[in-house]
Amino acid sequence: MSSPFRLEAKDGLSELDEAVEYFHSLMFDPRPKDRLPSSLEGNEKALSLENAIRETRRVLQKMRRGEYDYSVSTKGLVGGLLKALQSNLRHVIWTARCISEGDLSQRIDFMGEFSEVFNLMTLRLAEATQNLKEEAERWRLALESSQDGVWDINIRDLDNPFLSHNFLEILRTPFEAMPPIRRWGEFIHPEDIEALEVIRACLDDSYPKSTLDLTFRVKCGDDVFRWRSAKGQVFRDEAGHITRLIGVIGDIHARKMREEEISRRAMHDALTRLPNRELFGQQIHRMMAYASRTGTCLALAMLDLDNFKQVNDTMGHHAGDLLMVEVGRRLQKSLRQSDLVARIGGDEFVMLLPCATPNHEGLLKVMERLRANLSRPVDLDGTPYSITVSIGLAVYPCDGDDPLTLMKCADVAMYRAKALGRNAWCFWNPEGDRKEPQPPSQV
Amino acid sequence: MSGRKYAFSWNLLGDINIGRPHLGNQTRVEAYRLMQFTLRDVIEAKYGTEEADAVFYAAGKMAGQAFYEYYLKGIEDVGEFVRELQAKLKELKIGILRVESMSEEVGKLVLTVDEDLDCSGLPEIGFGICVYDEGFIAGILENFTDTPYVVKEVDCWCTGDRTCRFSAVRAH
Ligand SMILES: [Zn+2]
């Protein structure tokens, strides 16, 4: 229901009011009237004003959408400002692109607070990049000056590990020749079970710890096994799956060799280079356990040089040493690979001889061979010297089932051989020898 | 050409510090424009509009080349070149340079110079007047890339655009 008064007012709109209403709508309405009022047709200024407002609307809407490729035909202040704005924004895009391509020296001026924060951001980025570069350089230098090699393995990208120059040097393998990581286990010495299992577990995602620390032998590029060490960190994702392994590899071969030599010396007699009492003690346990497992026997022969003291007294300690070395050599020559001979005292040797049964016949053959080998005179600095030995034998498990008992039995048997006039061997005889033998000095 | 009286060289700009102990190294934009516009007037009157424009383009180019030799020579990186050019134009108060776009290998460029020394604030006269600037930009680009450019002012304060926009295209 429209009032007659309003109707009259509308009818009474002047041409000016009509023009104002049209441009008002053009400026403020989302959907403005689409035609100039007929009264303004042919009015040049009205036409250019209409074009300017329509163009401004279009350009602002484009800018609102992030499009800056508009063209502006409107002249004067507003058109000029739109162009300047466009120029600034397009320049920002160009500058940002330069920065994205690594040119961190670009700056933007005359855009007020935006310039300030943009330039500050770029400056920070340049600083951070510089710091990263310096850090990378420091790492590179540290890596190069360190003897250790670095490995960095992304579990999800096993084909592209980072292996430092030293890593490859330590393995004596060029990068191209490195086997795929899944096959690294094949290059670990089969006896180094811990290393093998850790490698497998890491690749299977079943390794439970967050660090690893291994020593192992690895087959290097020249097909020689060498001792190496590896220490590393295990990284996991939020679900606990292993994602990355990073650490160092070291060359510990020389150190291991030195340690082995020291331990060899600790376990061997310096004069004859035969196993000493220490190593003998270890081996008798091992060989007894083996015999027990396989239901076989182990003979223990205690051997003493007859009248050795005489050699020392009449010909000197040097001659005694020469004799001892030669006896050791001949004993070793008389035995099989699986046998063991050790020097456990001044002129005392002990032998361990695995055998299938407690068959004295078989052992007698060995003793014969021993005697034959020992009977040839030994050349002591030009003086031929003939030696004889007394031997006592006991067999595990029938004569004794622990090392100490077995040794006592063999010892008693040996003293019986000496009592028989030396240059003889005797088996432990449970009837003839006492079941509880006394220490040798009291026999 | 022998017998030249005014052959340009950067030295001819003189030692301004010594020469102007009190007034210093600054002048008013009016002074610069007064000189340029009167000169242009006389040249046009004597030789025609086309010739006047050609003279101004050539002079601008000579200035651009000298400007390059003095301030920008030796720069190889495009980004660094633009940055230095912007800095120098700002320092000498010639204008605010914006790069709107740049094609691969600087084959095509759109630049704007805001607050241009030659034309900003001039009355709208319906045509661009920054012919000297066109030559100036061409001279700089030519020396930087060692190839000739065609530079055209597409918007000018004087055409009512209130910012000077130049398109530069490498000439083949
Ligand atoms: Zn201009």
Side-chain angles (χ1 to χ4, degrees):
Chain A
M1 244 202 329
S2 50
S3 89
F5 179 73
R6 266 189 86 97
L7 201 70
E8 191 184 284
K10 187 162 174 46
D11 281 345
L13 272 182
S14 68
E15 284 182 2
L16 178 61
D17 288 340
E18 211 173 32
V20 168
E21 192 173 318
Y22 175 70
F23 285 112
H24 189 277
S25 144
L26 213 51
M27 193 69 197
F28 298 109
D29 289 354
R31 285 179 197 79
K33 297 177 171 29
D34 58 358
R35 284 186 71 88
L36 266 178
S38 52
S39 57
L40 289 175
E41 271 167 25
N43 183 326
E44 285 290 321
K45 282 197 172 171
L47 206 60
S48 82
L49 179 58
E50 183 196 29
N51 283 337
I53 297 177
R54 286 193 187 279
E55 186 168 62
T56 304
R57 287 176 66 115
R58 202 179 62 243
V59 163
L60 290 176
Q61 270 159 4
K62 273 206 158 214
M63 289 170 73
R64 175 81 169 82
R65 289 195 296 269
E67 296 165 18
Y68 309 115
D69 57 345
Y70 52 83
S71 62
V72 175
S73 59
T74 303
K75 305 293 182 188
L77 180 70
V78 172
L81 291 177
L82 288 175
K83 285 192 183 201
L85 199 52
Q86 176 186 38
S87 167
N88 278 348
L89 290 171
R90 289 176 66 88
H91 182 64
V92 167
I93 293 168
W94 180 82
T95 309
R97 181 163 291 127
C98 288
I99 290 168
S100 78
E101 285 164 2
D103 179 1
L104 296 174
S105 64
Q106 295 299 336
R107 301 287 181 270
I108 290 176
D109 284 330
F110 303 110
M111 287 184 73
E113 197 180 352
F114 174 79
S115 298
E116 262 173 54
V117 292
F118 185 92
N119 292 344
L120 192 62
M121 176 186 79
T122 314
L123 190 70
R124 293 268 184 276
L125 196 58
E127 284 169 359
T129 307
Q130 183 61 24
N131 287 344
L132 271 179
K133 259 188 207 157
E134 282 168 11
E135 194 173 343
E137 180 66 7
R138 268 198 297 279
W139 268 105
R140 195 182 62 74
L141 288 173
L143 282 184
E144 275 176 13
S145 56
S146 152
Q147 301 292 311
D148 288 340
V150 173
W151 40 272
D152 184 354
I153 295 165
N154 181 349
I155 292 292
R156 284 162 194 152
D157 185 17
L158 286 179
D159 291 336
N160 294 299
F162 168 76
L163 306 173
S164 75
H165 176 75
N166 282 357
F167 180 99
L168 299 167
E169 289 276 300
I170 284 171
L171 293 183
R172 304 188 183 204
T173 309
F175 187 80
E176 319 77 68
M178 278 301 295
I181 289 173
R182 290 244 168 245
R183 287 188 47 215
W184 280 11
E186 297 169 24
F187 293 79
I188 304 292
H189 196 286
E191 284 172 16
D192 297 326
I193 293 162
E194 191 201 353
L196 281 167
E197 291 194 337
V198 168
I199 290 176
R200 185 188 50 71
C202 284
L203 295 177
D204 287 359
D205 199 16
S206 63
Y207 186 67
K209 294 194 266 179
S210 61
T211 59
L212 52 89
D213 189 351
L214 302 166
T215 60
F216 50 88
R217 281 157 292 177
V218 62
K219 197 192 267 182
C220 297
D222 53 1
D223 279 343
V224 176
F225 278 106
R226 290 188 184 83
W227 282 100
R228 300 293 183 248
S229 68
K231 286 189 203 311
Q233 283 280 333
V234 179
F235 293 89
R236 294 182 153 80
D237 60 16
E238 282 170 8
H241 298 299
I242 297 175
T243 54
R244 187 179 179 194
L245 304 163
I246 182 164
V248 292
I249 187 169
D251 179 351
I252 55 164
H253 192 71
R255 195 189 83 205
K256 269 282 182 188
M257 290 293 101
R258 271 197 308 279
E259 284 171 5
E260 275 180 11
E261 175 62 16
I262 289 166
S263 120
R264 197 192 63 74
R265 280 184 201 167
M267 293 289 174
H268 289 76
D269 168 42
L271 182 63
T272 61
R273 302 191 143 256
L274 291 176
N276 62 11
R277 182 182 282 277
E278 189 71 28
L279 182 53
F280 168 74
Q282 288 178 13
Q283 294 292 36
I284 190 171
H285 275 103
R286 197 180 61 79
M287 289 167 84
M288 268 189 174
Y290 178 79
S292 161
R293 263 204 319 279
T294 54
T296 55
C297 298
L298 181 68
L300 187 151
M302 194 77 86
L303 182 147
D304 191 83
L305 267 63
D306 296 333
N307 304 315
F308 177 67
K309 197 171 171 311
Q310 246 176 24
V311 180
N312 270 343
D313 291 348
T314 60
M315 304 176 75
H317 284 280
H318 176 65
D321 286 353
L322 283 178
L323 182 62
M324 206 53 70
V325 170
E326 183 57 20
V327 169
R329 207 179 58 78
R330 291 188 189 184
L331 286 177
Q332 202 151 32
K333 226 179 94 185
S334 312
L335 300 180
R336 297 161 300 176
Q337 193 75 47
S338 56
D339 300 338
L340 178 94
V341 56
R343 183 185 180 215
I344 59 169
D347 58 345
E348 267 189 314
F349 294 87
V350 64
M351 292 170 287
L352 289 170
L353 315 152
C355 41
T357 59
N359 176 0
H360 289 191
E361 298 297 315
L363 289 168
L364 285 176
K365 271 186 201 153
V366 179
M367 293 303 114
E368 279 298 346
R369 196 162 67 231
L370 258 181
R371 185 153 69 173
N373 278 340
L374 291 172
S375 62
R376 285 178 290 113
V378 178
D379 177 18
L380 298 179
D381 281 340
T383 310
Y385 184 83
S386 293
I387 46 158
T388 58
V389 295
S390 300
I391 300 173
L393 288 137
V395 180
Y396 167 89
C398 26
D399 298 342
D401 58 5
D402 68 277
L404 202 62
T405 308
L406 206 61
M407 293 247 325
K408 280 178 179 168
C409 292
D411 204 42
V412 170
M414 185 188 76
Y415 274 90
R416 195 151 50 81
K418 280 200 188 292
L420 287 172
R422 300 193 167 90
N423 192 20
W425 59 78
C426 287
F427 283 93
W428 159 255
N429 177 356
E431 280 92 56
D433 298 322
R434 272 172 289 160
K435 203 69 180 147
E436 292 299 327
Q438 295 302 302
S441 59
Q442 291 171 26
V443 173
Chain B
M1 232 197 281
S2 61
R4 287 283 307 276
K5 193 172 168 190
Y6 297 121
F8 176 77
S9 80
W10 194 270
N11 285 339
L12 281 180
L13 300 182
D15 189 331
I16 296 161
N17 286 333
I18 292 177
R20 290 168 60 103
H22 296 104
L23 296 178
N25 199 352
Q26 303 278 323
T27 185
R28 291 272 295 266
V29 175
E30 294 93 315
Y32 167 83
R33 288 182 182 172
L34 183 64
M35 156 84 178
Q36 191 193 131
F37 295 175
T38 50
L39 193 61
R40 188 167 51 195
D41 179 302
V42 174
I43 294 172
E44 187 191 28
K46 250 183 140 153
Y47 303 106
T49 305
E50 209 170 300
E51 193 58 25
D53 280 346
V55 166
F56 267 71
Y57 191 91
K61 191 163 159 181
M62 183 186 279
Q65 285 169 335
F67 186 93
Y68 174 87
E69 292 298 315
Y70 193 74
Y71 290 119
L72 306 168
K73 199 180 172 77
I75 298 175
E76 287 180 7
D77 178 69
V78 181
E80 191 187 345
F81 168 74
V82 171
R83 194 185 69 238
E84 277 305 307
L85 181 58
Q86 275 178 322
K88 279 294 154 207
L89 294 182
K90 180 180 156 188
E91 189 189 320
L92 273 73
K93 301 191 189 331
I94 292 173
I96 299 169
L97 176 71
R98 303 290 199 205
V99 176
E100 281 196 33
S101 65
M102 183 189 283
S103 73
E104 200 79 2
E105 312 270 297
V106 209
K108 194 165 185 291
L109 271 149
V110 178
L111 310 168
T112 60
V113 180
D114 220 4
E115 303 186 26
D116 186 270
L117 176 60
D118 293 275
C119 70
S120 55
L122 261 60
E124 285 179 30
I125 48 180
F127 47 85
I129 61 138
C130 298
V131 183
Y132 185 85
D133 284 15
E134 289 174 349
F136 187 73
I137 292 167
I140 290 175
L141 289 175
E142 259 185 56
N143 274 28
F144 176 58
T145 62
D146 267 334
T147 49
Y149 278 80
V150 176
V151 178
K152 194 80 204 103
E153 189 183 36
V154 289
D155 287 332
C156 182
W157 184 287
C158 296
T159 55
D161 298 295
R162 297 199 166 226
T163 187
C164 296
R165 178 179 274 150
F166 298 88
S167 110
V169 181
R170 188 187 300 228
H172 292 290

